[in-house]
């Protein structure tokens, strides 16, 4: 099959379909979450001791619990997820396509910066993969699905890197890159990648000891 | 058994959401005192306990063999103290769901 022949489809209708599906799916999940939870009564009183009060306020505003016990993993994870969102949004090539399509674009990162960040992101993914393979407690939790999800998240960046450096047939890799990106957008709301949505809903909206936000809701 | 199915049905969306959100990262491990004090065994990792207690019951719709039910009981009662100290970076409410597994074990007559 000639993948490059799919380029007009991948760069046109599939982009709009996947973006629409992504936003509609995310909206559905937010509504689903709000319907599963209900407003929580406010606490009877805030702590009166100054230190406890500051801790509580910090925890409820900027998230006092971060980065937890495994600081190196937390930092790698934070970097990975931040770059995972920032690169697609602020990549020059994407912004040029966006401007051509709707006449608007976002700020673009210098290409060299985006390229180096992509390499670091792929290294982070390798770290996660090795962690899954080598650490017993993580290996026991891991199923094929987890490798599939990791692959799905990384594929657009790996193919984007190959396309940028024109390592393999350009048109084929570029089309694959678009298809992988579209597949990832479609997968986010309804697979394990939905932790992108539920991280914010769980950590900021639910009122638990580890709430990083107002925590004004609870499961009914 | 109808109660078990009803309980699972009532909580299906909540369980499904928790299982889907869990990224199997094992970051919850260090927050479990049993994991830290009992030889750091992987079956004491909170997410492992979630998946192998309420996760199994959810997947099998409550129809599990006596052997599986015994393993779920061991996980929910003996491998978890329900101390509520487990920390999930993605905000999954692990102890609440493990307590649901306990509830089902009680309904099924083993605890």
């Amino acid at each position: 099959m000639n993948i490059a022949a799919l380029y007009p489809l991948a760069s046109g209708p599939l982009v709009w379909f996947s973006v629409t599906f992504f936003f509609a799916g995310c909206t559905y999940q937010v509504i689903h979450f709000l319907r599963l939870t209900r407003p929580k009564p406010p606490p009877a009183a805030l702590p009166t001791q100054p230190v406890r009060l500051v801790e509580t306020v910090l925890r409820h505003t900027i998230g006092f619990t971060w980065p937890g016990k495994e600081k190196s993993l937390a930092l790698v994870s934070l970097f990975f997820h931040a770059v995972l969102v920032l690169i697609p949004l602020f990549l020059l090539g994407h912004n040029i396509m966006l401007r051509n399509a709707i006449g608007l674009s976002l700020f673009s990162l210098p290409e060299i910066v985006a390229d180096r960040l992509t390499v670091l992101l792929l290294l982070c993914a390798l770290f996660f993969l090795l962690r899954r393979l080598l650490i017993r407690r993580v290996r026991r939790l891991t199923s094929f699905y987890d490798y599939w999800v990791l692959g799905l998240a990384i594929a657009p960046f790996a193919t984007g890197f190959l396309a940028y450096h024109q390592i393999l047939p350009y048109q084929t890799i570029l089309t694959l890159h678009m298809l992988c990106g579209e597949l990832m957008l479609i997968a986010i709301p309804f697979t394990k990648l939905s932790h992108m949505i539920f991280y914010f809903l769980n950590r900021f909206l639910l009122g638990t000891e580890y709430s990083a936000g107002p925590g004004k809701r609870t499961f009914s | 058994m109808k109660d078990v199915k009803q309980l699972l049905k009532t909580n299906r969306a909540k369980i499904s959401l928790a299982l889907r959100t869990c990224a199997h990262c094992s970051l919850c491990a260090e927050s479990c005192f049993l994991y830290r004090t009992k030889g750091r065994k992987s079956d004491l990792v909170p997410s492992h306990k979630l998946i192998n207690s309420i996760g199994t019951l959810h997947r099998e719709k409550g129809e599990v063999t006596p052997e599986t039910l015994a393993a779920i009981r061991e996980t929910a009662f003996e491998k978890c103290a329900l101390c509520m100290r487990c920390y999930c970076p993605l905000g999954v409410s692990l102890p609440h769901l493990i307590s649901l597994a306990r509830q089902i074990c009680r309904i099924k007559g083993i605890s």
Side-chain angles (χ1 to χ4, degrees):
Chain A
M1 185 187 169
N2 184 8
I3 292 171
L6 294 173
Y7 180 81
L9 184 69
S11 61
L14 273 182
V15 175
W16 296 114
F17 173 75
S18 57
V19 170
T20 309
F21 191 93
F22 168 74
F23 282 110
C26 289
T27 307
Y28 166 79
Q29 292 292 17
V30 172
I31 293 168
H32 177 60
F33 179 88
L34 293 175
R35 288 182 66 183
L36 272 177
T37 57
R38 61 182 165 81
K40 187 182 180 183
L46 283 169
T48 48
Q49 295 165 315
V51 175
R52 289 280 298 137
L53 179 63
V54 169
E55 186 196 329
T56 304
V57 172
L58 281 174
R59 171 137 47 88
H60 285 255
T61 49
I62 60 169
F64 197 65
T65 58
W66 190 86
K69 293 277 182 191
E70 294 193 42
K71 291 183 172 50
S72 55
L73 178 61
L75 287 171
V76 171
S77 185
L78 180 72
F79 177 81
F80 174 83
H81 287 92
V83 172
L84 200 73
V85 174
L86 291 178
I87 291 181
L89 284 178
F90 301 113
L91 192 80
L92 181 63
H94 291 182
N95 279 321
I96 290 171
M97 290 188 82
L98 197 63
R99 182 169 283 276
N100 289 341
I102 60 170
L104 294 170
S105 65
L106 299 166
F107 156 79
S108 294
L109 287 168
E111 284 191 298
I112 187 75
V113 173
D115 187 51
R116 296 292 184 271
L117 286 175
T118 304
V119 173
L120 289 173
L121 179 126
L122 293 173
L123 288 173
C124 290
L126 181 67
F127 169 77
F128 289 138
L129 177 67
L130 291 175
R131 199 173 164 270
R132 285 213 179 280
L133 291 169
L134 301 178
I135 300 178
R136 185 173 148 77
R137 69 164 194 269
V138 192
R139 194 169 59 236
R140 278 198 68 180
L141 282 171
T142 302
S143 64
F144 175 75
Y145 187 36
D146 295 298
Y147 294 114
W148 186 83
V149 166
L150 184 61
L152 195 63
I154 288 311
F157 297 89
T159 50
F161 179 81
L162 292 174
Y164 177 69
H165 291 280
Q166 305 200 8
I167 292 169
L168 292 168
Y170 180 70
Q171 199 70 15
T172 304
I173 288 295
L174 188 66
T175 309
L176 262 181
H177 168 66
M178 288 175 168
L179 291 172
C180 289
E182 286 150 6
L183 190 62
M184 184 176 82
L185 280 178
I186 291 168
I188 284 173
F190 298 100
T191 64
K192 269 203 185 291
L193 291 175
S194 62
H195 69 258
M196 171 185 163
I197 310 160
F198 291 118
Y199 165 76
F200 293 102
L201 296 177
N202 285 346
R203 290 300 302 274
F204 287 85
L205 290 190
L206 284 185
T208 67
E209 188 177 357
Y210 301 114
S211 288
K216 287 181 178 169
R217 296 189 76 82
T218 184
F219 275 111
S220 47
Chain B
M1 292 312 109
K2 198 179 171 186
D3 285 346
V4 171
K5 291 207 169 193
Q6 189 57 42
L7 197 61
L8 284 168
K9 194 177 170 186
T10 310
N11 291 282
R12 186 171 57 197
K14 204 193 302 182
I15 301 166
S16 170
L17 192 146
L19 292 171
R20 187 148 25 96
T21 306
C22 174
H24 298 171
C25 64
S26 89
L27 270 169
C28 50
E30 290 295 330
S31 65
C32 178
F33 80 92
L34 285 172
Y35 171 80
R36 293 176 69 175
T37 56
K38 289 196 164 191
R40 307 179 92 83
K41 291 176 188 158
S42 49
D43 57 352
L44 293 172
V45 174
S47 52
H48 189 278
K49 295 182 232 180
L50 173 83
I51 294 162
N52 291 287
S53 59
I54 196 68
T56 306
L57 288 163
H58 171 73
R59 196 174 53 245
E60 304 295 335
K61 296 185 172 62
E63 292 175 2
V64 292
T65 62
E67 293 77 27
T68 308
L69 190 63
I72 291 169
R73 189 205 68 82
E74 192 186 349
T75 301
F77 283 90
E78 288 168 28
K79 294 179 183 172
C80 176
L82 279 192
C83 66
M84 315 290 278
R85 299 298 303 158
C86 40
Y87 163 76
C88 169
L90 298 171
V92 175
S93 179
L94 297 148
H96 290 102
L97 293 167
I98 293 172
S99 75
L100 194 60
R102 282 191 177 193
Q103 203 177 335
I104 290 171
C105 284
R106 286 195 192 98
I107 293 171
K108 283 182 176 273
I110 63 159
S111 58

